Amino acid sequence: MASHRKSRTPGTRVAGIRTPALATAALTSVALLSQTADAAPGDDRPSLEEVEKKVGDLYRQAESATEKYNAAKEKTTKQRKRVDTLLDDVAQRTQKLNEARAELGSYAAAQYRTDAGMPDTATFLLAETPQDVFDQRQVLDRMTGRQKAAVDDYVTQQTETMKKRQEATESLRTLTETQGDLKTAKATVQKKLADARELLSKLTAEEKARLAAIEKRKQEEAARKAAELARQQAAQEQAREEAAQQSGGTSESSGSGSTGSADTPPADSSYAAKAEKALAFARAQIGKPYVWGATGPGSYDCSGLTQAAWKAAGVSLPRTTYDQVNAGTTVPVSQAQPGDLVFFYDDVTHVGIYIGNGMMIHAPKPGTYVREESIYYDGDSAIHSIVRPA
């Protein structure tokens, strides 16, 4: 493999490259892979397995940043709507305040024409705050009923307008903060993906072929584990049916992938019907590209796909994996049923929708498409939990 690389100019120091802290490990691997055939014996050269792991880590970090982006985007959208609502309210209340002020002005003008002294009503027009108005109690005592009603309306409109203006100011400040979070998350996703592309671009054709072979072996192992889970679930289902027959009862099996237990009863027919709709939608998306932050209909990220699938079944799921994992009942992997959500990694940054027999439909990562795959695609330890959402 080294023979395919150009010789490095003597004196070039990899250690001299300035790299962001979050991508140091990945770019160091790139530099090591670009070393020449005349490198000194004993140099630490990362194996393709190590490179594959680093790329995988970068994609997972990008996916984690994507979920933060999704959360920030959702929060920004809600906050923007709140700001718009408050600004509309402020505009309406300002109009009412102006109308109340105009009415007070009419009283002040009339009083001025009949009284050479300072008009009582005009005193309130000079007040800057509602408290200023209340401080003029001696003036208020000399007013007629209609004047007092006008002052009361003016004070109410002034108080409410000031309150709404303050709320709008605070909401605008919050909106600015969420927009900053959104921008930061977006930049992080783009940086992680760029680092992964840079790392892969340094591989030769032969190395890429070997990397593909590593991935194929992983998929074969994942398929084997999925088959084992399918056999286990089938055996449990058969045992449950036999037990039901022996007790004179009937089995309420709802299909591939589950048996009940004292703690986790089997999903009912209502769930099976909803799950069937969710899975029909998910299957129809197979082949569409993964795009981070996307919710369809032309492309999806992982949580965007599961949210859209269950929406098609009439169930509203939160936007992010962090929230979706809490939107149902957790069940053991051995009792997973079609329609259940399969969450991955300790930080819960990936999700797929279970279809039975140890398989799921998911939007894997950038550069891939929605597809069916073993839930063990990244190993047993990658599975975080199984959640039944409805």
Side-chain angles (χ1 to χ4, degrees):
M1 289 184 288
S3 61
H4 294 280
R5 301 184 181 279
K6 295 181 179 181
S7 298
R8 179 164 56 85
T9 303
T12 299
R13 296 182 60 195
V14 173
I17 299 176
R18 296 179 61 189
T19 59
L22 58 83
T24 300
L27 294 181
T28 300
S29 296
V30 174
L32 290 171
L33 281 172
S34 65
Q35 288 181 344
T36 62
D38 58 351
D43 281 353
D44 292 333
R45 179 183 176 83
S47 66
L48 283 177
E49 286 82 358
E50 291 172 326
V51 173
E52 189 266 347
K53 182 181 183 304
K54 291 180 185 298
V55 171
D57 288 343
L58 285 169
Y59 279 138
R60 283 191 290 277
Q61 291 165 17
E63 200 161 33
S64 177
T66 294
E67 291 304 314
K68 292 179 181 177
Y69 170 87
N70 291 339
K73 183 178 181 180
E74 185 176 44
K75 185 176 180 180
T76 298
T77 299
K78 290 180 179 179
Q79 192 63 28
R80 185 176 288 113
K81 289 180 179 178
R82 173 170 171 75
V83 168
D84 290 343
T85 299
L86 285 171
L87 290 178
D88 287 342
D89 196 1
V90 167
Q92 293 174 8
R93 292 187 180 281
T94 299
Q95 182 178 353
K96 291 181 179 179
L97 178 62
N98 290 335
E99 292 171 354
R101 182 182 288 111
E103 184 176 3
L104 277 183
S106 67
Y107 281 118
Q111 193 171 9
Y112 185 79
R113 288 193 298 270
T114 60
D115 188 350
M118 173 61 71
D120 289 345
T121 311
T123 301
F124 296 97
L125 291 176
L126 297 176
E128 295 183 356
T129 69
Q131 186 60 46
D132 293 339
V133 174
F134 288 118
D135 288 341
Q136 305 297 327
R137 297 182 186 279
Q138 73 280 7
V139 178
L140 195 62
D141 292 338
R142 299 198 300 268
M143 288 188 167
T144 66
R146 293 184 62 184
Q147 283 178 310
K148 289 180 179 180
V151 169
D152 286 343
D153 183 45
Y154 177 74
V155 171
T156 298
Q157 297 303 332
Q158 187 183 44
T159 301
E160 290 300 317
T161 300
M162 292 178 65
K163 178 181 178 182
K164 290 299 179 181
R165 284 175 178 169
Q166 182 62 33
E167 289 181 18
T169 299
E170 293 175 355
S171 292
L172 282 168
R173 186 180 301 110
T174 301
L175 177 60
T176 300
E177 293 174 355
T178 59
Q179 287 175 328
D181 293 340
L182 185 66
K183 183 177 180 180
T184 298
K186 181 178 180 179
T188 301
V189 175
Q190 293 173 331
K191 184 65 171 65
K192 298 292 184 180
L193 296 180
D195 289 343
R197 287 192 296 269
E198 176 71 11
L199 181 56
L200 291 172
S201 71
K202 298 298 182 179
L203 299 177
T204 65
E206 181 183 350
E207 288 170 330
K208 290 178 180 178
R210 290 176 57 194
L211 201 59
I214 293 173
E215 179 64 23
K216 183 178 180 181
R217 288 196 299 271
K218 285 182 61 177
Q219 292 177 354
E220 290 172 347
E221 176 62 16
R224 184 187 67 78
K225 290 182 178 296
E228 289 179 359
L229 177 59
R231 286 192 294 269
Q232 178 187 8
Q233 291 176 332
Q236 290 176 341
E237 186 68 17
Q238 182 178 359
R240 192 168 74 90
E241 290 176 351
E242 291 175 352
Q245 291 174 358
Q246 290 175 2
S247 63
T250 57
S251 172
E252 296 182 357
S253 170
S254 57
S256 171
S258 176
T259 94
S261 71
D263 296 325
T264 310
D268 58 23
S269 58
S270 174
Y271 178 81
K274 293 176 183 177
E276 184 177 353
K277 292 180 180 179
L279 288 173
F281 179 92
R283 287 192 177 94
Q285 312 315 307
I286 291 176
K288 292 184 179 180
Y290 174 103
V291 174
W292 65 272
T295 57
S299 58
Y300 298 89
D301 63 16
C302 65
S303 56
L305 175 64
T306 51
Q307 182 188 50
W310 270 102
K311 182 179 180 180
V315 176
S316 179
L317 290 181
R319 174 64 181 94
T320 68
T321 54
Y322 311 129
D323 293 325
Q324 287 183 11
V325 74
N326 296 315
T329 303
T330 301
V331 299
V333 174
S334 62
Q335 295 176 21
Q337 279 201 2
D340 291 351
L341 302 179
V342 189
F343 293 92
F344 297 87
Y345 311 118
D346 291 340
D347 54 357
V348 197
T349 53
H350 187 67
V351 63
I353 184 167
Y354 191 66
I355 61 176
N357 297 322
M359 302 292 288
M360 67 178 174
I361 296 174
H362 69 149
K365 59 185 178 182
T368 63
Y369 299 84
V370 176
R371 67 193 184 199
E372 291 186 10
E373 195 162 23
S374 166
I375 64 172
Y376 298 104
Y377 81 107
D378 206 18
D380 300 54
S381 61
I383 298 177
H384 177 274
S385 58
I386 309 290
V387 172
R388 191 158 296 155

